[in-house]
């Protein structure tokens, strides 16, 4: 029997939840919030830190952009933390894909984190993506989540 399971990853740089459902169910008008099964949750508290909390004594990098000089850190610590968390999520999704835990994947994340996350995903996991939604719905519980997502599906 073919696997028709769809995973929803709802994430930002500090937290993530993975739900399981069936893609066809998401499009039904009578779909109930109890059709979502929570698979796992992830917390990355350092992703909530402000940039000032990541400040170090290291010097940045000096370079040229066109006709002007630039000075800045190669990558902010906040971005590095987001990349670290995205890598953790990407590895989890890849292992689950290898175990055939899902067929389709819907990614829901704010635009900045969505880009970081997609860079960490393997080519094979990318093939499973049915939809990417550039929104932050980490605050939403099941019922609110489905109402919010319905406008994008």
């Amino acid at each position: 029997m073919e696997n028709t399971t769809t995973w929803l990853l709802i994430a930002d740089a500090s937290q993530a939840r993975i739900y399981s459902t069936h893609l066809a169910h998401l499009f039904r008008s009578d779909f109930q919030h109890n059709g979502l099964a929570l698979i796992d949750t992830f917390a990355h508290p350092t992703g909530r830190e402000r940039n000032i909390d990541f400040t170090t004594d290291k010097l940045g990098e000096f370079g040229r952009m066109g006709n002007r000089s630039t000075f800045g850190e190669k990558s902010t610590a906040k971005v590095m933390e987001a990349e670290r968390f995205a890598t953790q999520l990407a590895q989890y999704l890849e292992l689950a894909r290898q175990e055939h835990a899902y067929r389709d994947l819907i990614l829901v994340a704010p635009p900045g984190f969505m880009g970081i996350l997609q860079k960490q995903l393997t080519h094979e996991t990318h093939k499973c993506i049915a939809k990417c939604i550039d929104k932050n719905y980490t605050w939403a519980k099941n019922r609110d989540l489905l109402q919010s997502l319905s406008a994008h599906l």
Side-chain angles (χ1 to χ4, degrees):
M1 188 161 147
E2 184 183 357
N3 181 0
T4 60
T5 303
T6 298
W7 275 17
L8 272 82
L9 172 66
I10 314 298
D12 66 14
S14 65
Q15 60 184 323
R17 294 187 315 271
I18 296 177
Y19 294 96
S20 178
T21 188
H22 294 280
L23 191 58
H25 293 173
L26 290 173
F27 296 102
R28 292 178 42 189
S29 60
D30 63 340
F31 184 67
Q32 299 294 316
H33 67 89
N34 58 5
L36 287 178
L38 182 64
I39 300 295
D40 213 339
T41 60
F42 302 83
H44 190 70
T46 54
R48 286 192 187 107
E49 301 291 327
R50 299 176 316 186
N51 272 338
I52 197 164
D53 296 333
F54 288 115
T55 303
T56 67
D57 292 335
K58 289 177 24 178
L59 290 175
E61 179 180 87
F62 186 77
R64 288 190 80 67
M65 275 184 74
N67 291 334
R68 42 183 205 172
S69 297
T70 61
F71 183 82
E73 294 183 27
K74 286 184 181 178
S75 181
T76 68
K78 189 167 182 90
V79 171
M80 290 172 49
E81 282 301 320
E83 289 171 346
R84 199 171 285 132
F85 187 48
T87 299
Q88 177 187 356
L89 295 173
Q91 289 171 344
Y92 186 94
L93 292 172
E94 175 60 17
L95 287 173
R97 185 199 62 76
Q98 290 174 3
E99 295 171 356
H100 307 286
Y102 62 88
R103 180 185 72 185
D104 299 303
L105 184 60
I106 297 174
L107 302 178
V108 182
F113 189 68
M114 179 70 79
I116 292 169
L117 177 62
Q118 287 190 346
K119 286 180 185 175
Q120 303 303 322
L121 296 175
T122 66
H123 178 71
E124 294 302 316
T125 301
H126 265 284
K127 288 187 200 176
C128 296
I129 297 174
K131 183 87 173 166
C132 290
I133 301 171
D134 291 330
K135 296 285 184 184
N136 186 356
Y137 289 135
T138 56
W139 55 268
K141 300 301 178 217
N142 291 6
R143 183 174 307 235
D144 294 332
L145 179 60
L146 287 174
Q147 288 174 348
S148 298
L149 289 176
S150 67
H152 304 284
L153 297 175

